[in-house]
Amino acid sequence: MADTPAPAPGRIRVLIVDDHQVVRRGLRTFLEVQEDIEVVGEACDGAEGVARAGELRPDVILMDVKMPGTDGIEALRRLRGTDSDARVLIVTSFTEQRTVVPALRAGAAGYVYKDIDPDALAAAIRSVHAGHVLLQPEVAEVLLAQDDQPAGAGRPGALTEREREVLGLIADGRSNREIARALVLSEKTVKTHVSNILMKLDLSDRTQAALWAVRHGITD
């Protein structure tokens, strides 16, 4: 299917990466009726997805995990080595811990299942595009039940009271703008707090920070 040549200004640009044509077609058909979402392209595996992300500059990538050749997790790792600003939302039927954890540690902004309600999927795309970390409850349960310790060697005591407040709001899925409003701070100050939190806790991104906060009881 031909890519949409020129998405409308202000719409969320979405790239669909899935090895099943029927799935790609179904996602495209639904998303194209959303006024604020534009499907700019498709890819049938992770390698093509990374290449298309470089060409199309999507805002959000819907990525399957299990695909022949380059899978979704490897594609996430490759994307982190590029200048892509796309937020990746995993859309998959796999719920095992060995799939969920590596995907999130590789940089996914969210993880939902393919049986998600279509309207909920559109809401998930908007959420990760806004900077939120999005996990379905079942996914969070898998993560909290894992035996392995999460990334991050720091301890709650390393954080200031304000940093704990910011971390709690990150765990609640708030964007920097929303945190700034809630704490009556500038976005620049919030960004500084987030950077300090990641540095102190030895974490690489907001997803890991959110998971760390849940495991250590630091929630809003």
Side-chain angles (χ1 to χ4, degrees), residues 31-184:
L31 294 176
E32 285 185 338
V33 303
Q34 304 296 311
E35 294 184 356
D36 59 339
I37 295 174
E38 185 82 21
V39 177
V40 297
E42 301 176 11
C44 64
D45 63 24
E48 185 182 8
V50 173
R52 301 237 69 193
E55 297 167 2
L56 300 171
R57 314 302 295 182
D59 300 309
V60 175
I61 301 174
L62 302 185
M63 181 89 73
D64 193 7
V65 174
K66 297 294 184 180
M67 294 180 286
T70 303
D71 64 16
I73 295 172
E74 177 59 27
L76 276 162
R77 294 180 179 130
R78 293 185 187 181
L79 281 169
R80 292 179 69 172
T82 71
D83 63 351
S84 174
D85 293 325
R87 303 269 288 169
V88 178
L89 176 62
I90 296 294
V91 184
T92 185
S93 56
F94 291 89
T95 62
E96 297 94 337
Q97 175 181 320
R98 66 177 182 271
T99 300
V100 175
V101 176
L104 294 174
R105 288 183 175 172
Y111 196 110
V112 298
Y113 300 141
K114 286 184 177 178
D115 61 357
I116 187 173
D117 178 84
D119 289 332
L121 176 59
I125 291 171
R126 297 181 186 108
S127 180
V128 298
H129 178 250
H132 297 179
V133 174
L134 189 142
L135 303 175
Q136 285 187 281
E138 298 89 344
V139 177
E141 289 175 6
V142 169
L143 291 168
L144 292 174
Q146 66 172 310
D147 294 327
D148 295 336
Q149 290 299 311
R155 294 290 180 268
L159 304 178
T160 66
E161 186 60 34
R162 179 62 84 187
E163 288 166 352
R164 289 173 66 91
E165 290 177 328
V166 171
L167 181 57
L169 291 169
I170 291 174
D172 194 40
R174 307 288 188 90
S175 65
N176 283 354
R177 178 174 297 180
E178 291 172 330
I179 294 173
R181 289 175 180 170
L183 300 180
V184 194

